[in-house]
């Protein structure tokens, strides 16, 4: 333990903050492994000793202990004085497979796609971007889309009930992913019809989810390659702006404005930040993820978005909370 060389410093300086951050990758890998081997499902039926966990999961007792103790150290399971382990409330709610709020597909996404991609972070930081995550394999596309749907489920549920959708007639969901936002909105708003625009591999996933919903249409399109469908009074960009750099977002917002009638409402859901890009703290980390996914993604502050909206034919209306670190920007199509 080193003492600071500053004689006026009142506190001892230790490497603990550095070790805590550097060990973060071990915490993440332990979590991915525990979820993959079914530890949290195994504890869904009630507390268990290591031998019982080994029996329920089929793991060797030694490695069941290593996995379970790591989760106990991280607070995702508890251990009582008799050596029985139980899911923490968060693990029970989101990782045990017993509730609709299931974050296991999100962990699979980060484990299989994000984690290997982050080895390229130093290159991307050094070069200013580049690269991008390849989703050419349809299996990877499924993993990506299911993971995004899982982590944005809270925002999708919250958005479905916003007043702008309660008074809307037709919603255009641009880059709508699996259709989770549109499905939730249609379920919550019986007057609403919706169109979802997506790249073909993801549009196929959305079509499966929205199959049999007469108020929904799914269109295969590259939003930068072809005009967006017209005739919608509310337009949604959920977690799309963060994929792109500023120039492509300027182009995107102009294209959306072109398809929107005067006075239409645009809803932008994302990890919008404060002016310093450090709050919410998760967004500051996710900027690396968005950079790596497309080679040009980023996080944007509410103020930056207000500027970009003004440049592209939109009036910034307001920013307000939505679900956790996901917030909502509302804009109105400025009459030409
Ligand atoms: C992070 S996901 C967000 C999905 C969904 N809106 C949500 O919030 O859960 C971004 C989506 O944008 C889609 N996308 C990216 N580029 C696109 C393009 N050029 N045209 C249409 N969709 C695109 C991707 O396929 C992906 O499903």
């Amino acid at each position: 333990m080193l003492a600071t060389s500053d004689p006026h410093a009142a506190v001892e300086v230790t490497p603990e903050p550095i070790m805590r951050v550097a060990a973060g990758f071990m915490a993440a890998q332990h979590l991915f492994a525990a979820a993959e081997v079914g530890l949290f499902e195994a504890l869904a039926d009630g507390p268990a000793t290591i031998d019982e966990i080994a029996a329920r999961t089929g793991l060797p007792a030694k490695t069941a202990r290593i996995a379970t103790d790591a989760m106990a150290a991280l607070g995702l399971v508890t251990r009582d004085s008799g050596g029985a382990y139980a899911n923490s409330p968060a693990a029970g709610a989101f990782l045990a497979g017993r509730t609709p709020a299931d974050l296991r597909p999100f962990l699979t996404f980060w484990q299989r796609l994000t984690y290997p991609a982050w080895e390229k972070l130093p290159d991307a930081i050094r070069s200013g971007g580049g690269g991008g995550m390849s989703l050419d394999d349809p299996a990877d596309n499924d993993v990506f889309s299911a993971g995004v749907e899982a982590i944005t489920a809270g925002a999708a549920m919250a958005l479905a009930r916003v007043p702008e959708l309660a008074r809307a007639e037709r919603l255009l969901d641009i880059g709508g992913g699996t259709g989770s936002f549109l499905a939730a909105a249609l379920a919550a708003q019986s007057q609403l019809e919706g169109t979802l625009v997506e790249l073909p591999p993801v549009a196929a996933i959305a079509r499966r989810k929205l199959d049999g919903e007469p108020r929904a249409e799914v269109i295969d399109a590259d939003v930068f390659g072809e005009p967006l469908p017209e005739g919608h009074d509310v337009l949604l960009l959920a977690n799309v702006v963060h994929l792109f750099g500023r120039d492509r977002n300027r182009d995107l917002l102009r294209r959306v404005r072109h398809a929107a009638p005067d006075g239409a409402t645009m809803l932008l859901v994302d990890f919008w930040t404060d002016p310093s890009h450090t709050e919410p703290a998760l967004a500051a980390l996710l900027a690396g993820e968005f950079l790596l996914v497309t080679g040009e993604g980023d996080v944007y502050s509410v103020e930056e978005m207000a500027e970009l909206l003004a440049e592209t034919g939109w009036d910034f209306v307001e920013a307000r909370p939505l679900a956790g670190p996901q917030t909502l920007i509302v804009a109105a199509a400025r009459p030409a």
Side-chain angles (χ1 to χ4, degrees):
M1 204 177 291
L2 296 175
T4 173
S5 57
D6 177 355
H8 302 296
V11 289
E12 193 176 32
V13 176
T14 77
E16 193 280 330
I18 298 166
M19 289 305 294
R20 185 164 29 85
V21 174
F25 85 94
M26 296 180 186
Q29 285 290 17
H30 267 299
L31 173 59
F32 300 153
E36 185 184 310
V37 301
L39 173 65
F40 305 107
E41 287 101 316
L43 292 175
D45 288 329
T49 63
I50 291 296
D51 285 342
E52 288 164 342
I53 290 170
R56 290 181 195 177
T57 56
L59 296 173
K62 173 178 171 172
T63 46
R65 178 191 56 74
I66 288 174
T68 309
D69 283 344
M71 291 301 95
L74 293 168
L76 289 174
V77 303
T78 58
R79 183 183 188 280
D80 71 15
S81 53
Y85 295 82
N87 280 328
S88 71
F94 298 108
L95 298 177
R98 296 290 173 94
T99 70
D102 187 359
L103 283 181
R104 290 172 303 170
F106 160 68
L107 294 184
T108 303
F109 161 37
W110 273 21
Q111 176 184 24
R112 303 250 179 98
L113 302 177
T114 292
Y115 202 91
W118 274 67
E119 282 188 9
K120 302 250 168 55
L121 184 68
D123 291 344
I125 295 286
R126 203 174 285 115
S127 67
M133 194 183 277
S134 165
L135 295 175
D136 293 341
D137 182 338
D140 287 346
N141 222 318
D142 288 354
V143 166
F144 180 92
S145 295
V148 172
E149 174 177 324
I151 195 61
T152 61
M157 297 307 291
L159 189 83
R161 300 192 177 282
V162 296
E164 289 82 358
L165 288 183
R167 49 179 183 260
E169 291 175 8
R170 285 176 61 76
L171 170 66
L172 180 64
D173 187 358
I174 302 151
T178 62
S180 55
F181 277 73
L182 182 55
L186 293 177
Q189 308 293 347
S190 58
Q191 85 294 352
L192 194 65
E193 294 179 2
T195 310
L196 183 147
V197 175
E198 255 296 350
L199 297 172
V202 185
I205 300 171
R207 227 169 251 120
R208 285 201 293 278
K209 181 185 271 300
L210 295 163
D211 186 34
E213 171 51 82
R215 292 182 286 139
E217 185 185 3
V218 177
I219 296 178
D220 291 26
D222 176 345
V223 296
F224 296 105
E226 41 225 299
L228 288 163
E230 299 190 2
H232 299 83
D233 53 344
V234 179
L235 302 99
L236 171 62
L237 282 171
N239 300 301
V240 172
V241 168
H242 68 224
L243 295 177
F244 305 118
R246 204 173 290 227
D247 290 344
R248 288 238 282 172
N249 277 321
R250 191 177 290 109
D251 183 17
L252 174 63
L253 295 179
R254 286 205 174 110
R255 286 169 178 274
V256 180
R257 176 63 191 91
H258 193 73
D262 288 352
T265 298
M266 180 163 61
L267 303 174
L268 300 112
V269 176
D270 222 306
F271 296 89
W272 308 122
T273 74
D274 73 349
S276 74
H277 302 121
T278 59
E279 284 292 336
L282 178 63
L285 301 183
L286 286 174
E289 169 73 356
F290 304 149
L291 181 69
L292 289 166
V293 169
T294 56
E296 61 166 301
D298 203 347
V299 290
Y300 297 94
S301 69
V302 171
E303 292 73 11
E304 287 170 320
M305 285 309 293
E307 243 176 62
L308 208 52
L309 289 164
E311 282 176 42
T312 52
W314 296 93
D315 287 327
F316 174 85
V317 176
E318 63 172 336
R320 53 180 205 254
L322 189 63
Q326 291 250 283
T327 51
L328 174 65
I329 290 178
V330 181
R334 190 187 319 128

